[in-house]
Amino acid sequence: MQRQATRKQAMQKKRIKQSLCVGLSALLLGGCVSPQQEAWVTINGISVTAEGAREVSLHCENAISAKVERENIDATPQEWAEAMDLCMLSNGLVRKDELYEYTPILVEATARRINSDVPVMVDDVTRLDLVENDRRTLRFYHTILDDLVEDINLEQFNHVVPKIVAKNSCSVRPTAVLLENDVVFRYFYFDAEGAKISDFDVDISDCEP
């Protein structure tokens, strides 16, 4: 009986490794295939070296294998591949060709991270109060603290501010990656009494030279 249990466990481990090889063809997992340098990126869109991706993948492989042994799980190769991808994502890595699919998750995470610090001053007179997210849209709500809307030259504001904001958004890699994956940044500005001053969008077209 003990021998049968040991044999079953060995076969289960073999099946796990086979499924991991199928699901992670970009990485070197126990001799599956050769790693590809550009297969994985961070959630900010930065390429990860094959060595860096392999280190994370081995951590995930060990964690999943331990869970299988502990809970005596019998899963399909597809389920194991999905578990591996989720583990990689939880460690900040995503397949480069799947970054677009995961972008709404990154948008939500971006809003959550920024909202943990608001209200925050973005310059001497402008305060960021809230960020909302909706799949591929981020909405930023600002207050201009030292002005009322009737005292602002709206034509000049709408000519100058969107260009400055777009330049800043396009020049920072984490936000540029979101823009490259069809995320729209929608900016709202209100005066010191809460009256709306202006709103505008920034998208990838605003990053073109």
Side-chain angles (χ1 to χ4, degrees):
M1 182 69 69
Q2 180 65 32
R3 182 179 301 175
Q4 289 179 345
T6 302
R7 183 179 179 184
K8 180 179 180 181
Q9 189 177 53
M11 291 179 65
Q12 192 174 52
K13 287 183 178 179
K14 182 178 180 180
R15 184 170 62 253
I16 294 167
K17 179 152 289 189
Q18 288 174 338
S19 67
L20 289 172
C21 288
V22 171
L24 292 172
S25 59
L27 298 175
L28 179 62
L29 295 177
C32 300
V33 293
S34 297
Q36 296 176 5
Q37 179 90 2
E38 303 297 331
W40 295 85
V41 294
T42 69
I43 58 175
N44 290 331
I46 301 172
S47 295
V48 180
T49 65
E51 181 180 354
R54 185 184 300 114
E55 181 178 348
V56 176
S57 72
L58 290 176
H59 163 76
C60 288
E61 180 185 8
N62 291 335
I64 295 173
S65 296
K67 181 179 178 66
V68 166
E69 293 184 24
R70 183 173 63 251
E71 301 182 12
N72 194 28
I73 298 172
D74 188 13
T76 66
Q78 179 63 30
E79 289 171 332
W80 280 110
E82 290 174 357
M84 194 70 176
D85 281 353
L86 285 174
C87 180
M88 296 291 282
L89 181 62
S90 71
N91 283 273
L93 302 186
V94 63
R95 294 179 186 275
K96 188 173 184 179
D97 59 0
E98 293 181 356
L99 184 58
Y100 186 88
E101 177 185 348
Y102 282 106
T103 299
I105 297 175
L106 306 184
V107 167
E108 181 180 358
T110 299
R112 188 183 304 115
R113 183 179 68 251
I114 297 174
N115 281 329
S116 67
D117 294 325
V118 299
V120 61
M121 299 299 294
V122 297
D123 60 34
D124 291 341
V125 298
T126 309
R127 184 183 69 205
L128 175 62
D129 298 308
L130 176 68
V131 178
E132 294 179 339
N133 65 283
D134 181 15
R135 290 194 57 77
R136 296 185 188 274
T137 302
L138 278 166
R139 294 186 290 271
F140 300 83
Y141 296 87
H142 299 82
T143 298
I144 307 295
L145 297 176
D146 66 348
D147 264 321
L148 298 179
V149 65
E150 56 263 30
D151 299 323
I152 297 174
N153 184 326
L154 295 181
E155 183 177 356
Q156 183 179 14
F157 184 97
N158 290 325
H159 178 71
V160 174
V161 175
K163 291 181 179 179
I164 295 174
V165 173
K167 181 178 180 180
N168 291 338
S169 300
C170 297
S171 62
V172 178
R173 186 56 187 164
T175 54
V177 167
L178 295 178
L179 291 169
E180 290 166 2
N181 286 277
D182 292 342
V183 175
V184 174
F185 295 170
R186 187 158 292 153
Y187 294 88
F188 297 85
Y189 289 83
F190 300 86
D191 71 8
E193 293 183 349
K196 184 177 176 181
I197 299 172
S198 182
D199 68 89
F200 57 87
D201 289 354
V202 172
D203 60 31
I204 190 60
S205 67
D206 296 301
C207 298
E208 298 173 357

